[in-house]
C-alpha cells in the first residue's frame, strides 16, 4: 500500500475492530463526536488516559507472541473490553498524539511486531510537511491521571549493531529536509540515552569508538589531535581494526554512521495483533471518574504512588504463583524419574525398535538440532535413560540425513558408529532411596555453569562430524584473539579443516578471513604455512569454492598497509593458480597481479608478484593474452628494484618463453619484437644512447637463449630417433653456462638430463655430418637472427664500455649454449666475413672502417673466448695481433682495440695472453705498431700483478724507450705513469722514476713539445693517487720547472698548450696535502708563473688562478700563526686537562635525571 494513499484515521482498516463492531460493543460514534475527538467506546481517551492502568492490565500476559498467559485467559473479561493495537494506534493518530504514536511504533518495531498503519504514516513526509507547528492536540495534551512512567532505555551497544546494513556502495544521497517525525525520533533517542538510564561504557565499545574517532581525526586533517589521542590510548593499535577485539567487520567511518543513524530500514517481520483484557476490579476505584485535563502536582504524585503499590502487589502475586508452579514441576519430575526406574529394569528392545515401527517423517532438521549430547541437568539417577533417549533421537536424525543429504555421505559410517557407541553407554545406579530433589540439590554443589557462551559449549558434546564443525566454527573466532601472535600458526590446521567442512558459507567466509588476518605481519615461515594451508584447502574443495571463498580474501588485502600482508596476497595468487578456473586465471588474477606490479611500492611485494605472474604464465592458455604478457615482461624488466628484475629473469621470462614456444611465436614474435626495440633505441640514441633500456632488452634476449636452443632440439629432424636406451655419453659439467634459475636449465625445459644428453649427441652429429637441410628453426637462427644481431653490434658506440660488455656477455652465452660446432661453423664465419682480416684488404691510406666498430671487441671477447683450448687461444692472439697491425698501419682510431684490451684485461686469466700480443707489437718492425703497443700497456696494467709488471711490462717499456723514434718513447709515458700510480714495489718505482727523469733532464728532449705535454698530462692524472714521496720529490718540483720554462716560450700556440695542461695538473694536485715547505718553494711559485702566462693568453683562467694563489697564501699564514701560538697552547692544554677532569668528576656524580644536569651550569649566587 502506498504511503500517500493511506488514511491513518480510518479505524475500519483493522479487522479486529470490525469484528468488535459486529459483536455489538459500544464502538459506534456519531460524526459530531468523532469531529470533536471524543469517543464513546473503548477508544475514549478518558477511559484509557492512564498508561499505568494499561500496563497493570497486561501483567499476566507477557508473552512476546501475543498469546495471553493462563492467568489472563481465566480473567473472565468479556470480548467487548478487548482493544487491538491497531485501534490504539488509530486513536493516537486521530487525536494527534504523534510522539506517543511514534513511541509505540518504535517499541513494536523493536519487539518485531510492526503495525502497517504506523509504518505507512511515519514513512510519508507529507504527513508532517503540511503541519506548520505543534499540533493543537499536542499543545493541549496533558498528563494522564496515572502520571508519566520512566521506562528503561533501550541499550544498543556497538557489538550488537548490524553493520552490514551500512553499505559503502549504497545510495549516499541525503535529504536535507528534516521531518518532524525525525526530530521526535531524535528526542526519543536522546531520552533513551540520558545519563539517568544509560549504562557505563563497555571496554570493547570504548576501543571501537576510539578507533572510529581516531580514523575521523586523520581523515579530516586533525593530525596533532590524532597524535595526542593515540598517546592517551597507548594500549590500542589504531592502525588495525582487529586489535579492537570485536568479531565483526570494520564499520563505516563516523560520518557514514552519523548520516545513516536515522535512515536504517527496519527488517520485515510478521505482524501480530495482540489484545489485552482488563478486569475492572483490578483498576483503582476512581479510574472511571472523569478527571480534568489539567492536574495538580499533588494529584499526580498520589496517582503515581497508587500505581507503584498496585505493581508491587502484582509482583507478589506472580512470585507466589511462580513458587507454586515450581513445586508442581518438582513433583512431576519425581514421578517421571520413578517411572523411568521401573522401565530401566526392563530390556530396551522396545526403545530400539521404536524407529522401525513408527518410521517418523524425515524432514530436514536444523544443523544444530539433535546432534549434541547435552550434559546440562543430567543426574546420576537419570543419565542412563537420558542417554538412551538422546541416542535414539540422534539415530533417527542420522537416518534422515543419510536419506536426504548427499554432502555428508562419506561420513555416514563414522556417524553411525559413533551413535552406536553412545547408545551403549550406561551408568551404575545407586541402591538408594533419596528423593530426586535431594539428588538435584546435592549435585548443585558441584559448581557446573552452563549459563555463559563458553559454558554452553562445554556442557554439550558433539556426537557427529558435522556438529564438531559447527562447534569449531563458533569457538574459533573466540580462540584466535587470545592466542599469542608468535604461536597462531598452530591454529592454521584447525581453521582450514573447519573452513573446508563447515556447512555454512557465512561461517566459512569468516574462518578464511581469520586465516588471512591471523598474524598481523607474518614472516616468511608463517606465510609459507598459510600458503600451504590455502593450497590444501584448494585441493580439497575444488575450483568453484576457491574462486568464491579464497579469492575474495586476497582481493580484500590487495591494498593492506602492511607489506607482509600484501606479500601474502601476491604469493597466494601464484600458489592458487593451478586450482582456479582457467577463465579466472587469465582475467581476474592476472589483473590483480598487474595492478600490484604497477602500484605497489614495496620491492619484496613486486618481486613476489613477478614470480606469481610467472606461475600464471605456466597455466594460461588464452592466446589473446600474449600481448598483455609481453607488456608485463617489459614492465617487470624496467622496475627500479634489482630483486624484481632478477625475479623476472629467473621465473617470468622462462615461463613466458615456454608459453610462446607452445604458441609457436617465440621465433616469429617475441625475439623479433625485442630486436626491433633495440634497433629503434639505437636510431633514437644518435646523440645519447639510453644504456639502461639497451641493457633491459638485451638481458631479456639473453634469458631467452636456453628456450631458443630447446626449440631447436625439439624441432630437429632427429627428434623421431630419440631413444633413451643405450650408452649415451654424459653431458660435460661445463657444457652449458650456469643458469640463473632451474627454469633456465635446458635439461629442465626438455624434460630430463638423460633426454638432453641424447638430444645433444644427435645435435652434434647432425651439424657435423648431415647438415641443416629442413631444419627450419636452426635456419632461422643462422639466416635471420645472427645477421640482424651482428648488424646491431656494428652500430653501437665502441667507446661505451657498458654496451660492449653487455653484447659480449650475450654472444658468449649464445655460443656456449649452442655448442662449439655451431660456433665454429655458423657464428665465426659470419664475423670473419664482415671483418675481412686478410692483408690484401688492408688499405694503408683509407683504413678499414669495420675494424673501428664495436664488432671487433665483441667478436674477440664474446665469441673467441667461449672455449679456452689451445687452438682457441691461438686464434684470439692472432686476431688481436692482426687488428693491432691493421689499425696502426692504416692510421685508424684505436678505440676498438682499446675496448678489446679493457674487456679482456678485466679477467686475470687473459693477462698473459694480452702481454703476448703486446710483445708482438714491441718487436714489430713498424714504429706505428710499436706506438700502438706502448699505448695499449696502459689499458692492461690496472689489476695486473706486480710480479708480472716487473717481469714482463717494465722490460717491454724500457725496450720501447731505447728505440730511435721519439714518438715511441713518448707513447710509453702514460704506461710509466700508471705504474707509478698502481705499484708499491720500491725498486720498480725507482726504475720508473729514473726513466721519467731522463725524459725531463736529457737535453735531447728539451725541445720536444709533445713529450712535455704528455708528461704534464700524466702528472695531473697520476699525481693525486701516486705515492706522496714521489709527488713531493718529483712531480711538484718538475711542474715548477716546466711552468717557469713556459714563461720564456716564444711560440704562442705551444705556450697556451703547456699552460692549459699545467692548469689542469695544478687543479688536480691542489686537492692533495702539501707541506708548507713545498707550498712555499714549488707550488706557489709554479702557480704564479702559470698566472703570468694566463694573464696574457686566457684571462678567465687567470681569475681562477688568483683565487687559488690567495687560498694557498692564507693556508701558509695560518700555519705560521699556529706555530707562534704553539707554546701558549701547550700551557693552555694543561690547564684545560685539569678543568676537564674536574668537570667529568662532577658529571660522574649525577645519577638521576637531566634536571640535575642543568644545575651544573647555573651560576653561583
Amino acid at each position: 500500500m502506498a504511503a500517500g494513499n493511506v488514511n491513518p484515521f480510518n479505524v475500519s482498516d483493522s479487522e479486529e475492530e470490525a469484528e468488535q463492531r459486529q459483536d455489538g460493543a459500544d464502538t459506534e460514534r456519531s460524526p459530531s463526536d468523532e469531529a470533536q475527538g471524543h469517543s464513546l467506546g473503548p477508544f475514549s481517551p478518558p477511559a484509557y488516559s492512564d498508561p499505568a492502568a494499561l500496563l497493570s492490565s497486561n501483567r499476566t500476559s507477557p508473552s512476546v507472541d501475543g498469546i495471553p498467559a493462563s492467568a489472563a485467559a481465566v480473567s473472565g473479561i468479556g470480548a467487548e473490553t478487548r482493544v487491538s493495537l491497531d485501534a490504539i494506534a488509530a486513536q493516537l493518530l486521530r487525536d494527534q498524539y504523534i510522539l506517543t504514536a511514534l513511541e509505540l511504533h518504535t517499541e513494536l518495531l523493536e519487539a518485531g511486531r510492526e503495525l502497517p498503519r504506523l509504518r505507512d504514516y511515519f514513512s510519508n513526509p507529507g504527513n508532517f510537511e503540511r503541519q506548520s507547528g505543534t499540533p493543537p492536540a499536542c499543545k493541549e495534551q496533558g498528563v494522564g491521571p496515572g502520571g508519566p512512567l520512566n521506562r528503561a532505555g533501550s541499550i544498543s551497544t556497538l557489538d550488537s549493531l548490524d553493520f552490514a546494513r551500512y553499505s559503502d556502495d549504497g545510495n549516499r544521497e541525503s535529504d536535507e529536509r528534516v521531518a518532524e517525525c525525525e526530530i521526535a525520533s531524535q528526542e526519543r533517542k536522546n531520552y533513551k540515552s540520558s545519563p539517568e538510564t544509560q549504562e557505563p561504557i563497555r571496554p570493547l565499545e570504548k576501543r571501537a569508538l576510539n578507533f572510529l574517532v581516531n580514523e575521523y581525526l586523520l581523515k579530516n586533517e586533525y593530525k596533532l589531535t590524532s597524535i595526542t589521542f593515540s598517546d592517551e590510548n597507548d594500549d590500542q593499535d589504531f592502525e588495525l581494526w582487529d586489535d579492537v577485539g570485536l568479531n565483526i567487520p570494520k564499520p563505516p567511518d563516523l560520518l557514514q554512521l552519523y548520516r545513516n543513524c536515522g535512515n536504517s530500514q527496519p527488517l520485515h517481520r510478521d505482524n501480530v495483533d495482540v489484545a489485552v483484557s482488563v478486569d475492572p476490579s483490578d483498576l483503582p476505584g476512581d479510574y472511571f471518574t472523569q478527571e480534568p485535563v489539567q492536574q495538580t502536582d499533588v494529584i499526580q504524585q498520589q496517582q503515581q504512588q497508587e500505581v507503584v503499590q498496585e505493581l508491587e502487589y502484582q509482583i507478589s502475586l506472580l512470585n507466589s504463583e511462580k513458587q507454586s508452579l515450581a513445586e508442581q514441576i518438582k513433583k512431576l519430575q519425581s514421578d517421571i524419574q520413578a517411572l523411568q526406574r521401573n522401565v530401566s529394569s526392563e530390556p530396551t528392545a522396545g526403545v530400539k525398535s521404536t524407529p522401525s515401527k513408527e518410521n517418523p517423517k524425515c524432514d530436514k532438521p536444523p544443523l544444530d538440532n539433535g546432534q549434541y549430547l547435552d550434559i546440562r541437568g543430567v543426574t546420576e539417577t537419570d543419565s542412563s535413560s537420558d542417554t538412551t533417549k538422546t541416542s535414539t533421537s540422534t539415530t533417527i536424525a542420522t537416518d534422515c540425513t543419510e536419506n536426504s543429504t548427499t554432502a555428508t555421505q562419506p561420513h555416514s559410517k563414522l556417524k553411525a558408529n559413533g551413535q552406536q557407541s553412545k547408545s551403549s553407554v550406561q551408568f551404575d545406579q545407586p541402591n538408594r532411596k533419596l528423593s530426586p530433589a535431594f539428588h538435584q540439590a546435592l549435585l548443585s554443589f558441584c559448581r557446573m555453569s552452563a549459563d555463559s557462551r563458553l559454558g554452553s559449549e562445554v556442557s554439550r558434546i558433539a556426537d557427529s562430524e558435522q556438529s564438531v564443525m559447527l562447534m569449531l566454527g563458533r569457538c574459533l573466532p573466540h580462540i584466535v584473539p587470545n592466542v599469542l601472535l608468535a604461536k597462531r600458526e598452530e591454529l592454521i590446521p584447525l581453521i582450514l579443516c573447519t573452513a573446508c567442512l563447515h556447512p555454512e558459507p557465512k561461517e566459512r567466509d569468516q574462518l578464511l578471513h581469520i586465516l588471512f588476518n591471523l598474524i598481523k605481519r607474518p614472516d616468511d615461515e608463517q606465510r609459507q604455512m598459510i600458503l600451504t594451508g590455502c593450497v590444501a584447502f584448494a585441493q580439497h574443495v575444488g575450483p568453484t569454492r576457491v574462486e568464491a571463498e579464497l579469492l575474495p580474501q586476497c582481493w580484500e588485502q590487495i591494498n593492506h598497509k602492511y607489506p607482509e600482508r600484501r606479500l601474502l596476497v601476491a604469493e597466494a595468487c601464484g600458489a592458487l593458480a593451478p586450482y582456479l578456473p582457467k577463465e579466472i586465471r587469465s582475467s581476474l588474477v592476472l589483473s590483480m597481479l598487474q595492478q600490484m606490479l604497477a602500484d605497489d611500492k614495496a620491492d619484496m611485494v613486486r618481486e613476489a608478484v613477478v614470480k606469481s605472474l610467472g606461475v600464471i604464465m605456466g597455466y594460461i592458455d588464452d592466446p589473446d593474452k600474449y600481448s598483455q604478457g609481453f607488456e608485463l615482461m617489459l614492465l617487470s624488466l624496467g622496475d627500479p628494484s634489482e630483486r624484481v628484475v632478477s625475479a623476472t629473469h629467473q621465473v617470468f621470462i622462462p615461463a613466458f618463453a615456454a608459453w610462446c614456444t607452445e604458441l609457436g611465436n617465440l621465433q616469429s614474435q617475441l625475439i623479433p619484437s625485442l630486436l626491433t626495440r633495440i634497433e629503434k633505441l639505437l636510431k633514437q640514441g644518435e646523440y645519447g644512447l639510453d644504456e639502461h633500456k639497451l641493457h633491459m632488452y638485451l638481458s631479456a634476449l639473453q634469458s631467452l637463449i636456453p628456450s631458443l636452443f630447446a626449440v631447436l632440439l625439439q624441432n630437429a629432424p632427429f627428434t623421431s630417433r630419440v631413444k633413451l636406451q643405450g650408452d649415451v655419453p654424459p653431458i660435460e659439467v661445463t657444457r652449458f653456462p650456469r643458469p640463473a634459475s632451474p627454469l633456465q636449465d635446458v635439461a629442465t625445459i626438455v624434460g630430463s638430463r638423460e633426454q638432453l644428453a641424447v638430444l645433444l649427441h644427435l645435435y652434434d652429429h647432425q651439424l657435423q655430418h648431415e647438415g641443416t637441410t629442413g631444419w627450419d628453426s636452426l635456419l632461422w637462427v643462422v639466416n635471420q637472427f645472427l645477421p640482424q644481431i651482428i648488424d646491431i653490434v656494428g652500430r653501437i658506440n665502441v667507446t661505451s664500455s657498458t654496451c660492449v660488455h653487455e653484447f659480449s656477455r650475450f654472444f658468449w652465452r649464445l655460443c656456449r649454449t649452442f655448442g662449439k660446432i655451431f660456433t665454429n661453423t655458423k657464428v665465426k664465419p659470419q664475423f670473419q666475413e664482415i671483418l675481412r682480416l686478410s692483408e690484401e684488404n688492408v688499405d694503408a691510406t683509407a683504413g678499414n672502417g669495420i675494424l673501428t666498430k664495436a664488432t671487433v671487441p665483441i667478436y674477440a671477447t664474446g665469441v673467441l673466448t667461449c672455449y679456452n683450448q689451445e687452438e682457441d687461444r691461438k686464434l684470439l692472439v692472432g686476431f688481436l695481433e692482426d687488428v693491432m697491425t691493421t689499425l696502426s698501419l692504416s692510421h685508424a682510431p684505436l678505440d676498438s682495440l682499446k675496448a678489446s684490451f679493457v674487456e679482456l684485461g678485466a679477467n686475470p686469466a687473459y693477462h698473459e695472453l694480452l702481454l703476448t700480443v703486446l710483445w708482438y707489437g714491441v718487436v714489430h718492425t713498424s714504429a706505428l705498431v710499436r706506438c700502438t703497443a706502448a699505448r695499449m700497456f696502459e689499458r692492461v696494467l690496472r689489476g695486473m700483478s706486480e710480479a708480472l709488471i716487473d717481469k714482463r711490462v717494465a722490460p717491454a717499456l724500457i725496450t720501447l724507450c731505447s728505440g730511435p723514434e721519439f714518438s715511441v718513447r713518448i707513447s710509453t709515458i702514460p704506461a710509466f705513469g700508471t705504474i707509478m700510480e698502481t705499484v708499491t714495489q720500491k725498486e720498480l718505482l725507482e726504475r720508473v722514476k729514473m726513466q721519467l727523469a731522463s725524459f725531463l733532464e736529457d737535453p735531447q728532449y728539451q725541445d720536444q713539445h709533445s713529450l712535455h705535454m704528455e708528461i704534464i698530462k700524466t702528472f695531473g692524472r697520476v699525481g693525486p693517487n701516486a705515492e706522496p714521496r714521489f709527488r713531493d720529490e718529483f712531480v711538484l718540483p718538475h711542474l715548477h720547472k716546466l711552468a717557469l720554462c713556459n714563461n720564456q716560450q716564444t711560440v704562442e700556440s705551444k705556450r697556451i698548450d703547456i699552460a692549459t695542461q699545467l692548469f689542469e695538473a695544478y687543479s688536480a694536485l691542489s686537492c692533495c696535502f702539501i707541506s708548507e715547505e713545498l707550498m712555499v718553494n714549488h707550488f706557489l711559485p709554479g702557480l704564479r708563473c702559470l698566472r703570468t702566462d694566463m694573464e696574457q693568453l686566457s684571462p678567465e683562467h687567470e681569475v681562477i688562478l688568483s683565487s687559488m694563489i690567495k687560498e694557498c697564501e692564507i693556508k701558509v699564514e695560518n700555519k705560521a700563526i699556529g706555530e707562534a701560538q704553539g707554546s701558549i697552547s701547550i700551557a693552555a692544554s694543561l690547564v684545560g686537562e685539569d678543568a676537564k677532569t674536574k668537570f667529568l668528576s662532577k658529571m660522574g656524580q649525577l645519577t638521576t635525571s637531566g634536571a640535575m644536569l642543568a644545575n651544573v651550569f647555573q651560576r653561583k649566587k
Side-chain angles (χ1 to χ4, degrees), residues 47 80 101 267 431 481 613 766 820 847 1109:
E80 65 275 3
L267 297 177
N431 190 13
L613 282 172
Q766 182 82 21
K820 189 171 184 179
I1109 292 172

Side-chain angles (χ1 to χ4, degrees), residues 432-444:
R432 302 291 300 276
K433 296 182 179 180
L434 298 177
S435 66
F438 187 84
H439 270 292
Q440 189 71 24
L442 186 62
L443 290 176
S444 65

Side-chain angles (χ1 to χ4, degrees), residues 102-103 105-111 151-156 184-199:
L102 178 62
E103 188 75 28
H105 174 58
T106 308
E107 293 291 341
L108 293 175
L109 187 65
E110 290 180 353
R151 57 185 179 81
S154 177
I155 302 171
S156 178
S185 177
Q186 186 65 33
E187 292 177 354
R188 174 187 168 277
K189 291 179 180 178
N190 293 338
Y191 163 74
K192 280 195 168 188
S193 60
S194 61
E196 293 81 1
T197 59
Q198 183 179 8
E199 70 175 18

Side-chain angles (χ1 to χ4, degrees), residues 565-747:
R565 301 281 279 275
R566 303 196 302 273
L567 181 59
L568 177 62
V569 173
E571 293 172 341
C573 289
L576 296 176
Y579 312 103
L580 289 168
K582 60 180 182 179
E583 298 83 4
I584 298 299
R585 274 198 299 259
S586 58
S587 57
L588 177 61
V589 179
L590 194 63
S591 300
M592 288 173 57
L593 293 174
Q594 185 174 9
Q595 177 184 342
M596 296 182 71
L597 180 63
D599 299 340
D600 206 291
K601 297 180 180 179
D603 296 349
M604 61 179 182
V605 177
R606 297 198 305 276
E607 179 187 12
V609 167
V610 169
K611 293 180 180 178
S612 295
L613 282 172
V615 177
I616 295 293
M617 290 299 141
Y619 285 89
I620 199 169
D621 55 1
D622 185 2
D624 296 335
K625 297 296 181 179
Y626 165 78
S627 58
Q628 186 177 358
F630 184 77
E631 294 300 326
L632 286 173
M633 182 186 71
L634 297 182
L635 182 62
S636 305
L637 289 171
D639 195 276
S641 173
E642 186 62 32
R643 59 191 300 177
V644 178
V645 177
S646 177
T648 306
H649 290 291
Q650 293 176 3
V651 183
F652 184 84
I653 292 181
F656 186 59
W659 184 38
C660 292
T661 301
E662 295 181 17
L663 296 177
N665 57 9
L666 178 67
Q667 295 175 316
S668 61
Q669 293 188 31
L670 181 56
I671 295 178
S673 298
L674 292 173
L675 292 176
T676 303
R677 279 170 166 76
I678 293 176
E679 290 179 340
K680 184 179 179 180
L681 198 63
L682 293 175
K683 291 179 181 178
Q684 297 174 351
E686 295 179 357
Y687 302 101
L689 180 63
D690 190 347
E691 294 184 353
H692 174 70
K693 283 190 175 181
L694 179 64
H695 167 72
M696 184 176 76
Y697 297 143
L698 200 58
S699 62
L701 278 176
Q702 185 171 323
S703 296
L704 291 173
I705 291 175
S707 300
L708 181 61
F709 184 64
V711 170
L712 264 64
L713 295 178
Q714 293 169 349
N715 296 325
F718 53 78
T719 306
S720 59
R721 306 197 304 266
V722 174
K723 294 181 180 180
L724 296 180
Q725 291 82 10
D727 296 333
V728 179
I731 304 174
E732 297 180 3
V733 179
T734 59
R735 169 62 179 83
F736 293 99
R738 179 176 298 177
S741 72
L743 296 177
Q744 290 192 9
D745 191 351
V746 182

Side-chain angles (χ1 to χ4, degrees), residues 911-948:
H911 286 171
E912 288 279 359
L913 185 144
L914 293 176
L915 291 178
T916 302
V917 175
L918 291 178
W919 185 252
Y920 166 82
V922 169
V923 299
H924 200 276
T925 56
S926 172
L928 296 173
V929 178
R930 294 202 299 275
C931 285
T932 302
R935 295 198 175 274
M936 291 301 108
F937 273 108
E938 178 191 358
R939 304 292 174 177
V940 299
L941 283 173
R942 299 185 184 278
M944 189 175 289
S945 64
E946 293 189 6
L948 205 57

Side-chain angles (χ1 to χ4, degrees), residues 57 233 344 354 408 559 656 681 717 803 906 936:
S57 66
N233 298 276
S344 61
T354 301
T408 58
N559 293 317
F656 186 59
L681 198 63
C803 295
M936 291 301 108

Side-chain angles (χ1 to χ4, degrees), residues 38-39 44-49 145 285-293 295 303:
H38 297 289
S39 175
S44 176
Y48 293 95
S49 61
D286 58 348
Y287 185 83
F288 291 101
T289 61
Q290 181 70 28
E291 295 290 341
V293 177
Q295 298 289 343
Q303 291 176 348

Side-chain angles (χ1 to χ4, degrees), residues 14 20 66 115 198 216 401 470 529 564 602 640 658 670 746 757 781 802 839 913 915 917 985 1045 1068 1070 1084:
S14 173
Q20 292 176 2
L115 283 180
Q198 183 179 8
Y216 165 78
T401 305
L470 294 172
M529 290 297 103
E564 291 85 357
L670 181 56
V746 182
V781 174
T802 303
E839 294 182 1
L913 185 144
L915 291 178
V917 175
Q985 187 178 348
C1045 294
S1070 63
L1084 276 174

